[in-house]
Amino acid sequence: MSAPEAVADRVRRWPRRLRRAAVLGLVALLLASLPWLWTTIAAHGHVYDEADAPSSDVVIVLGTAVAADRRQPGDRLTGRLETAAELVNSGRARVVLVSGDGGGTSGDEPAAMTSYLVELGVDPRRVVADPFGLDTYDSCARAREVYGIERALIVTQSYHVNRAVTLCRHLGIDVDGVRARCAGCGPFLIAGKSVRDYFASGKAAWDAGWGRSPAVSSPENSAVQDALRG
């Protein structure tokens, strides 16, 4: 085969190679998206806006960054707490479990959460703090295994709520998600957090599939039941 013929043959092969690459790319994207699809489908029908949220004895609030002063909640955490306080103050929940990292890089999340809920009018006797909810999976697992919660609402932002609901339901809690307020969340932040949560779904599926234990093991704690009785 002459040099010009070889060049022409290579040119003719490119469309086939491009099609093959496109198919392989689509297959890879589908496989990578399976965990995200799992969280989205599993949470379907179990996520509500604040105004439409059902009632439950317990509402779980997931922790996130504390403000720069290390005492007040950050914007996203403020939104979650305001939503939870509204659920309690309107009679749709009785006890709040605040679950976060007590030794977080931004500060003690459960302590800031508890203090702010009290400022919002929630009786401190109705707030239980779990300082070892180091991630979403751990918060759900500990809510079930340590605090004995079987039915609850869970409050977090829209980009996170499907994963939280799916993990808690997988771990044995009959949970409904409530989309939290987020006054300081602009479109770029929401987009960035949504992308992060897309990839975090892979870890969620891995943790759920292997049934890993929470990072911190604790004995059973009756604080939530005691608060309900009180």
Side-chain angles (χ1 to χ4, degrees), residues 138-152:
D138 281 20
S139 290
C140 290
R142 289 177 56 83
R144 182 69 183 89
E145 298 171 10
V146 177
Y147 295 95
I149 296 172
E150 297 179 353
R151 162 74 186 142

Side-chain angles (χ1 to χ4, degrees), residues 74-90:
D75 287 342
R76 288 173 291 137
L77 191 51
T78 293
R80 298 178 190 186
L81 295 167
E82 289 176 346
T83 297
E86 174 59 25
L87 294 173
V88 173
N89 293 334
S90 66

Side-chain angles (χ1 to χ4, degrees), residues 46-53 59-64 73-87 92 113 116-117 120 153-162 164-165 176-186 189-190:
H46 298 289
V47 177
Y48 298 85
D49 291 327
E50 179 185 313
D52 302 320
V59 55
I60 302 168
V61 185
L62 298 176
T64 188
D75 287 342
R76 288 173 291 137
L77 191 51
T78 293
R80 298 178 190 186
L81 295 167
E82 289 176 346
T83 297
E86 174 59 25
L87 294 173
R92 284 175 288 170
M113 294 161 80
Y116 194 67
L117 283 172
L120 294 173
L153 302 175
I154 191 163
V155 174
T156 186
Q157 270 78 32
S158 58
Y159 56 79
H160 181 209
V161 70
N162 285 343
V165 166
D176 287 310
V178 183
R179 299 182 186 95
R181 305 175 190 181
C182 199
C185 297
L189 184 145
I190 296 294

Side-chain angles (χ1 to χ4, degrees), residues 52-225:
D52 302 320
S55 298
S56 178
D57 282 344
V58 181
V59 55
I60 302 168
V61 185
L62 298 176
T64 188
V66 175
D69 65 2
R70 302 180 68 84
R71 293 192 299 273
Q72 293 296 314
D75 287 342
R76 288 173 291 137
L77 191 51
T78 293
R80 298 178 190 186
L81 295 167
E82 289 176 346
T83 297
E86 174 59 25
L87 294 173
V88 173
N89 293 334
S90 66
R92 284 175 288 170
R94 297 170 56 203
V95 170
V96 185
L97 175 67
V98 293
S99 181
D101 188 350
T105 56
S106 66
D108 186 336
E109 295 172 7
M113 294 161 80
T114 300
S115 177
Y116 194 67
L117 283 172
V118 173
E119 289 181 25
L120 294 173
V122 178
D123 186 336
R125 294 171 297 180
R126 293 183 177 271
V127 182
V128 177
D130 178 7
F132 301 118
L134 306 185
D135 61 16
T136 306
Y137 182 93
D138 281 20
S139 290
C140 290
R142 289 177 56 83
R144 182 69 183 89
E145 298 171 10
V146 177
Y147 295 95
I149 296 172
E150 297 179 353
R151 162 74 186 142
L153 302 175
I154 191 163
V155 174
T156 186
Q157 270 78 32
S158 58
Y159 56 79
H160 181 209
V161 70
N162 285 343
R163 180 161 59 93
V165 166
T166 298
L167 282 173
C168 277
R169 294 186 73 84
H170 177 81
L171 290 164
I173 303 176
D174 179 15
V175 77
D176 287 310
V178 183
R179 299 182 186 95
R181 305 175 190 181
C182 199
C185 297
F188 290 108
L189 184 145
I190 296 294
K193 292 295 182 182
S194 297
V195 170
R196 179 187 179 279
D197 210 74
Y198 171 86
F199 290 105
S201 297
K203 181 179 182 299
W206 178 270
D207 287 342
W210 285 99
R212 78 163 172 87
S213 298
V216 178
S217 178
S218 302
E220 293 182 7
N221 188 318
S222 65
V224 169
Q225 284 69 36

Side-chain angles (χ1 to χ4, degrees), residues 23-45:
V23 170
L24 290 174
L26 287 172
V27 170
L29 179 62
L30 177 61
L31 291 174
S33 298
L34 286 176
W36 177 82
L37 288 170
W38 169 60
T39 63
T40 301
I41 293 169
H44 181 70

